């Protein structure tokens, strides 16, 4: 279908760009409202020569944030030899403004009698405080890259040359371990000031310029969006859902994966235009698409299945949760929460998706599988038969029945009712059941 022209009264507020990801290539540790990445540069040094612990910090919310960074140096090597490291401070405090991204440089110098060694660990503890609950301004999944950065290309490349790590220590998600080597050579001691420094890389003031650049890509985004149809994206989404849910400890039955693929397909295809209460331009995936085009115009030439899976999947998953609530609400008598509560639930599902929440079968069914049942007929390719998903889901529910206990029993009952309604809809539409 063709989307209507852009309207000036649409609320167009894209999420803040993923500056950290543009530097690290995606490596990150997520701690609810803060993301960070840690590296050592250079990875190999000599005695009396400095190296730096580099900590990228990315604020995900609209709150001021106070961060404490602690450095734990190795005291001895694997052979029991002492390790002596000069460092100005082992605990540093940094303040981030709403949505700010910055880098903390922490120099350290190995001194005699330290011996040469490899894979020597440095543990970096990162903890933060905010004054109150924060509204997300960046998705935890990363989001679109920035179209502009207020640092020189030379400095950006220097940061990209750092090998960033995502190794947590034990069960602590806020303690990151990185490693360095000391070469078997002693150089003359340098007379230098070993002092940590913080450098801001991106602040919310830059978002207005970012927004103007992104807004200029709306018409291009319409053109790309017109190609995101059930025939071009459904199969790719189905494969990605099957794989990614399993990787996050939530393996799906075939019918469950098909239902989630259908509500995500409907979200990217025409659902936000057809369903009341939704606007394409206000969706996270469409605004992400505009950001992607602002960053790299060649995104427009990507096969639509690759675009949906590799670039828009996380944003579309978020939007699909909200759209699914919208399409199932008229079908059930249960209280599905207000809009604010549904937004919070969508964020919980995204938190699970990035590993911040434990897997829960409810995340698949409420509301994604349910939404897929409701839009089954509208999101089925012409060469497919919508009965297959219904039959597979009935089979899945028989196997899942014992897993729905306590409060989740209501989810089981709602899903069963929606399947009965879908069965009736297909019969009235005279869709032939496959033999």
């Amino acid at each position: 279908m063709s989307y209507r022209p852009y309207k000036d009264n649409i609320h167009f507020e894209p999420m803040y760009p993923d500056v950290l990801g543009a530097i690290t290539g995606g490596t990150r540790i997520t701690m609810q409202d803060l993301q960070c990445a840690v590296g050592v540069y250079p990875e190999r040094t000599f005695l009396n020569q400095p190296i730096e612990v580099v900590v990228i910090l990315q604020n995900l919310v609209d709150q001021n944030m106070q961060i404490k960074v602690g450095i734990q140096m190795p005291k001895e090597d694997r052979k029991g030899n002492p390790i002596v490291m000069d460092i100005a401070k082992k605990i540093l405090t940094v303040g981030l403004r709403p949505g700010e991204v910055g880098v903390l440089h922490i120099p350290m110098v190995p001194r005699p009698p330290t011996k040469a060694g490899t894979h020597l660990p440095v543990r970096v503890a990162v903890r933060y405080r905010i004054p109150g609950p924060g509204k997300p301004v960046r998705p935890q999944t990363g989001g679109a890259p920035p179209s502009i950065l207020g640092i020189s290309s030379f400095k950006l490349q220097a940061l990209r040359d750092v090998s960033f790590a995502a190794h947590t220590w034990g069960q602590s998600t806020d303690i990151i371990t990185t490693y360095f080597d000391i070469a078997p050579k002693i150089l003359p001691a340098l007379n230098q000031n070993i002092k940590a420094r913080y450098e801001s890389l991106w602040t919310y003031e830059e978002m207005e310029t970012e927004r103007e650049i992104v807004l200029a890509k709306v018409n291009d985004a319409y053109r790309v969006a017109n190609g995101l149809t059930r025939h071009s994206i459904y199969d790719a989404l189905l494969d990605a859902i099957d794989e990614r849910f399993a990787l996050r400890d939530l393996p799906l039955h075939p019918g469950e994966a098909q239902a989630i693929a259908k509500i995500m397909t409907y979200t990217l295809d025409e659902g936000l235009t057809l369903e009341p209460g939704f606007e394409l331009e206000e969706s996270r995936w469409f605004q992400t698409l505009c950001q992607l085009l602002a960053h790299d115009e060649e995104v427009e030439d990507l096969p639509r299945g690759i675009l949906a899976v590799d670039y828009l999947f996380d944003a579309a998953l978020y939007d699909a949760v909200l759209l699914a609530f919208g399409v199932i609400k008229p079908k059930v008598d249960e209280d599905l929460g207000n809009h604010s509560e549904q937004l919070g639930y969508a964020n919980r599902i995204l938190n699970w998706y990035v590993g911040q929440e434990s897997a829960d079968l409810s995340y698949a069914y409420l509301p994604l599988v349910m939404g897929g049942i409701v839009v089954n007929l509208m999101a089925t390719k012409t060469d497919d038969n919508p009965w297959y998903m219904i039959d597979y889901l009935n089979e899945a529910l028989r196997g899942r029945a014992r897993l729905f206990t306590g409060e989740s029993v209501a989810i089981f009952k709602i899903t069963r009712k929606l399947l009965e309604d879908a069965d009736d809809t297909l019969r009235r539409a005279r869709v032939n059941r496959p033999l």
Side-chain angles (χ1 to χ4, degrees):
M1 67 173 293
S2 295
Y3 291 115
R4 58 192 180 281
Y6 177 69
K7 298 184 294 185
D8 290 337
N9 63 336
I10 290 296
H11 182 68
F12 192 91
E13 287 296 335
M15 301 292 279
Y16 287 12
D18 182 21
V19 178
L20 182 149
I23 294 169
T24 71
T27 299
R28 74 191 72 217
I29 298 291
T30 301
M31 293 170 275
Q32 197 67 33
D33 302 315
L34 173 70
Q35 290 179 332
C36 66
V38 175
V40 172
Y41 188 83
E43 294 179 73
R44 188 170 186 262
T45 189
F46 302 94
L47 287 174
N48 293 324
Q49 296 298 299
I51 57 175
E52 278 191 344
V53 176
V54 182
V55 185
I56 306 290
L57 301 164
Q58 179 160 273
N59 190 348
L60 301 181
V61 295
D62 64 345
Q63 297 284 312
N64 289 319
M65 182 176 290
Q66 186 182 66
I67 301 170
K68 283 194 174 181
V69 177
I71 306 293
Q72 182 180 345
M73 315 297 295
K75 294 181 179 179
E76 58 182 34
D77 61 23
R78 287 185 291 271
K79 295 180 180 179
N81 299 311
I83 295 178
V84 178
M85 303 288 293
D86 275 357
I87 185 170
K89 286 185 178 181
K90 292 186 178 181
I91 299 178
L92 302 107
T93 301
V94 176
L96 292 187
R97 291 187 290 167
E100 184 174 355
V101 185
V103 56
L104 183 60
H105 302 268
I106 308 168
M108 56 186 188
V109 182
R111 302 292 193 190
T114 305
K115 304 290 186 183
T118 60
H119 210 58
L120 301 172
V122 178
R123 292 196 177 101
V124 180
V126 181
R127 296 181 174 89
Y128 72 91
R129 288 191 306 173
I130 56 176
K135 175 186 175 183
V137 294
R138 282 188 177 87
Q140 290 195 344
T141 50
S147 56
I148 56 169
L149 267 178
I151 59 175
S152 69
S153 57
F154 175 79
K155 188 173 293 185
L156 178 60
Q157 187 57 52
L159 289 172
R160 285 174 172 167
D161 286 341
V162 179
S163 180
F164 289 97
H167 311 293
T168 54
W169 182 58
Q171 300 300 313
S172 300
T173 58
D174 54 2
I175 301 179
I176 305 107
T177 304
T178 187
Y179 301 90
F180 68 99
D181 300 341
I182 299 176
K185 186 176 181 180
I186 301 177
L187 295 181
L190 300 175
N191 183 17
Q192 57 194 169
N193 184 16
I194 303 175
K195 185 178 180 180
R197 59 187 176 89
Y198 172 77
E199 179 181 12
S200 182
L201 301 176
W202 196 94
T203 63
Y204 63 85
E205 286 93 348
E206 295 175 70
M207 192 58 201
E208 186 56 37
T209 302
E210 180 86 18
R211 183 181 180 275
E212 292 175 1
I213 294 171
V214 170
L215 195 56
K217 292 295 181 180
V218 167
N219 287 329
D220 294 335
Y222 285 140
R223 185 169 58 250
V224 176
N226 287 334
L228 297 171
T229 69
R230 68 196 73 176
H231 297 289
S232 66
I233 64 176
Y234 172 77
D235 290 336
L237 284 172
L238 179 60
D239 289 342
I241 289 164
D242 201 38
E243 177 183 350
R244 295 180 187 184
F245 275 58
L247 286 173
R248 288 151 181 83
D249 300 320
L250 197 53
L252 300 172
H253 286 273
E256 295 164 347
Q258 289 174 14
I260 296 172
K262 288 193 176 184
I263 188 62
M264 288 188 68
T265 295
Y266 190 57
T267 302
L268 289 165
D269 184 359
E270 56 186 358
L272 297 173
T273 300
L274 297 180
E275 298 298 330
F278 294 90
E279 294 286 353
L280 170 71
E281 297 85 354
E282 295 181 2
S283 68
R284 184 174 289 188
W285 78 256
F286 184 81
Q287 295 185 5
T288 299
L289 176 59
C290 294
Q291 289 176 288
L292 290 167
L293 290 168
H295 175 73
D296 183 0
E297 293 182 353
E298 293 185 4
V299 167
E300 184 171 347
D301 300 325
L302 290 171
R304 295 305 180 247
I306 291 177
L307 177 62
V309 167
D310 292 350
Y311 294 85
L312 300 176
F313 187 93
D314 305 343
L317 181 63
Y318 177 88
D319 291 327
V321 172
L322 301 178
L323 184 62
F325 275 123
V327 298
I328 66 178
K329 184 176 181 179
K331 306 285 185 179
V332 301
D333 296 327
E334 300 287 334
D335 179 12
L336 299 175
N338 57 34
H339 183 63
S340 177
E341 291 168 331
Q342 291 173 6
L343 288 174
Y345 189 74
N347 282 318
R348 279 180 60 191
I349 290 179
L350 266 291
N351 288 348
W352 155 74
Y353 184 72
V354 298
Q356 294 296 302
E357 298 262 356
S358 299
D360 188 324
L361 185 59
S362 300
Y363 294 156
Y365 274 81
L366 178 67
L368 293 167
V369 168
M370 294 180 185
I373 295 171
V374 175
V375 305
N376 180 27
L377 195 56
M378 294 177 283
T380 298
K381 299 190 303 177
T382 54
D383 59 350
D384 199 359
N385 191 307
W387 279 107
Y388 283 122
M389 190 194 82
I390 300 302
D391 292 342
Y392 288 146
L393 271 176
N394 279 312
E395 180 181 331
L397 275 189
R398 287 192 291 271
R400 297 282 200 191
R402 61 182 177 81
L403 300 178
F404 288 98
T405 59
E407 294 181 357
S408 64
V409 170
I411 295 175
F412 179 86
K413 291 180 178 179
I414 295 172
T415 305
R416 179 66 70 192
K417 178 186 181 303
L418 291 174
L419 280 171
E420 291 170 358
D421 291 347
D423 187 295
D424 184 59
T425 297
L426 293 181
R427 292 183 188 279
R428 286 189 285 107
R430 300 194 177 187
V431 177
N432 292 325
R433 185 188 287 272
L435 298 177

